[in-house]
């Protein structure tokens, strides 16, 4: 028997506004779903923290989302996905479905990018965890991956959005030799789609940019559909929480979801 009900919310979390790129894609594909979003702005950025620290934050957020009766917890952050997905799945057990943002991209690469040379940019945690590298090797599809940690980018996007201040950073990171002669580039940090147009422009629109948002939303839809847990009675309600109130988060939610949002401060006590 399925212990969950379709009208229970989908819980989504990230260190800040990054996961909104995924939340936005989910709302577009599944407008009936109720969404609870948690941005751990008090602990941002995650990408420079140790895996153990990210795991501790992720467990607290998962507990918070469970208390709010989420049927699914989506780790909409690559740093937390690579550090804490296995742990959170074990911790949550059958209380909710747990999904990450890595596996949907691995499936996409398996289906469409065999024998290609793929670049990846992400946080230090995401790149040094080697999770993408290992999962891609396991596919045995002759996909050659080169990864670059673009450490300061997520914090800069959190602060400046898609503004001009980002241009210099992108120039510095994207001109790295690691990113030469690729077939496609994976944006392996959920903050990066916010500056996708700038990244595409840097490569003169000649590089294929893999923005995971829609792929992840599609995977969420399929999983809920398979489990007969799609909410058919809309419209869905959206509720946003942050562990620290920041102007940039409030501004970010407005860009994605206009004014129709409820934003609450919920401190995650250490
Ligand atoms: N958006 C996140 C990610 O996908 C986190 C960035 C950060 O907080 O460093 O990795």
């Amino acid at each position: 028997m399925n212990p969950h009900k379709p009208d229970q919310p989908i819980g989504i979390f990230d260190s800040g506004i990054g996961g909104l790129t995924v939340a936005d894609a989910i709302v577009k594909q599944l407008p009936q779903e109720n969404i609870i979003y948690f941005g751990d702005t008090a602990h941002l950025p995650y990408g420079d923290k140790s895996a153990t620290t990210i795991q501790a934050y992720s467990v607290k957020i998962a507990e918070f989302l469970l208390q709010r009766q989420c049927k699914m917890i989506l780790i909409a952050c690559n740093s937390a996905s690579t550090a804490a997905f296995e742990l959170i799945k074990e911790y949550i057990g059958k209380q909710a479905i747990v999904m990450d943002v890595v596996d949907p991209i691995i499936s996409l690469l398996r289906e469409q990018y065999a024998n290609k040379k793929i670049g990846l940019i992400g946080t230090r945690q995401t790149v040094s965890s080697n999770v993408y590298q290992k999962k891609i090797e396991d596919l045995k599809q002759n996909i050659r991956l080169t990864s670059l940690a673009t450490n300061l980018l997520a914090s800069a996007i959190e602060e400046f959005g898609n503004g001009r201040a980002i241009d210099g950073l992108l120039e510095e990171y994207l001109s790295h030799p690691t990113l030469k002669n690729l077939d496609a580039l994976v944006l392996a940090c959920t903050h990066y789609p916010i500056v996708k147009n700038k990244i595409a422009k840097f490569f003169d629109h000649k590089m294929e940019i893999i923005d995971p948002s829609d792929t992840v939303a599609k995977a969420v839809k399929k999983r809920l559909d398979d489990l007969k847990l799609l909410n058919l009675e809309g419209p869905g309600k959206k509720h946003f929480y942050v562990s620290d109130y920041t102007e940039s988060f409030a501004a970010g939610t407005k860009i994605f979801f206009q004014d129709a949002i409820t934003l609450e401060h919920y401190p995650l006590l250490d």
Side-chain angles (χ1 to χ4, degrees):
M1 197 185 86
N2 194 332
H4 306 296
K5 296 204 197 76
D7 64 350
Q8 286 177 262
I10 300 174
I12 301 175
F13 79 89
D14 177 51
S15 60
I17 59 172
L20 295 175
T21 57
V22 183
D24 180 46
I26 291 177
V27 168
K28 287 191 175 119
Q29 290 189 34
L30 298 168
Q32 263 112 313
E33 294 295 328
N34 297 307
I35 305 281
I36 295 183
Y37 185 95
F38 194 94
D40 192 8
T41 41
H43 299 124
L44 180 128
Y46 273 11
D48 288 344
K49 308 249 174 358
S50 71
T52 322
T53 301
I54 300 170
Q55 286 170 353
Y57 297 149
S58 301
V59 166
K60 290 238 179 216
I61 299 168
E63 280 170 352
F64 168 85
L65 295 171
L66 267 189
Q67 279 160 14
R68 273 150 191 81
Q69 319 294 333
C70 290
K71 60 185 172 187
M72 173 183 278
I73 293 173
L74 170 64
I75 309 177
C77 168
N78 284 267
S79 310
S81 293
T82 53
F85 183 40
E86 297 305 324
L87 175 80
I88 296 294
K89 270 195 294 191
E90 204 171 306
Y91 184 80
I92 297 291
K94 290 196 164 58
Q95 299 178 87
I97 305 147
V98 183
M99 287 187 71
D100 74 339
V101 286
V102 176
D103 285 343
I105 288 304
I106 297 295
S107 302
L108 180 82
L109 294 175
R110 187 189 62 228
E111 286 157 18
Q112 297 178 21
Y113 293 87
N115 305 310
K116 299 279 188 204
K117 186 160 182 232
I118 304 294
L120 176 149
I121 51 173
T123 65
R124 182 177 291 143
Q125 156 60 32
T126 298
V127 171
S128 65
S129 73
N130 271 325
V131 168
Y132 276 95
Q133 182 71 44
K134 282 184 214 132
K135 292 194 175 199
I136 286 172
E137 277 166 18
D138 287 348
L139 296 177
K140 302 204 185 332
Q141 299 274 10
N142 188 32
I143 296 170
R144 284 143 295 145
L145 181 77
T146 49
S147 308
L148 181 73
T150 44
N151 300 324
L152 299 177
L153 200 49
S155 303
I157 293 170
E158 190 79 24
E159 184 73 18
F160 300 111
N162 193 24
R164 255 187 315 144
I166 305 294
D167 297 1
L169 261 188
L170 282 179
E171 177 84 36
E172 186 69 30
Y173 286 134
L174 300 180
S175 44
H176 196 279
T178 301
L179 303 181
K180 295 267 181 293
N181 306 318
L182 301 171
D183 293 309
L185 178 68
V186 178
L187 306 186
C189 169
T190 52
H191 279 73
Y192 300 173
I194 294 170
V195 298
K196 186 167 76 175
N197 58 342
K198 287 187 189 288
I199 295 174
K201 196 164 159 224
F202 176 88
F203 292 107
D204 289 329
H205 301 276
K206 289 188 181 114
M207 168 94 83
E208 187 189 345
I209 309 291
I210 304 179
D211 169 357
S213 324
D214 285 334
T215 304
V216 172
K218 225 165 111 190
V220 165
K221 184 174 178 181
K222 181 170 186 323
R223 186 75 171 273
L224 289 175
D225 195 17
D226 289 347
L227 294 167
K228 311 246 173 310
L229 281 174
L230 282 174
N231 194 27
L232 304 174
E233 321 251 320
K237 293 193 214 58
K238 296 183 266 304
H239 208 124
F240 297 85
Y241 294 87
V242 277
S243 49
D244 208 0
Y245 183 85
T246 61
E247 282 305 325
S248 53
F249 188 91
T253 47
K254 277 185 194 139
I255 292 167
F256 285 104
F257 300 108
Q258 291 74 45
D259 284 334
I261 61 148
T262 327
L263 180 57
E264 260 183 75
H265 179 213
Y266 184 91
L268 267 197
L269 299 175
D270 293 326

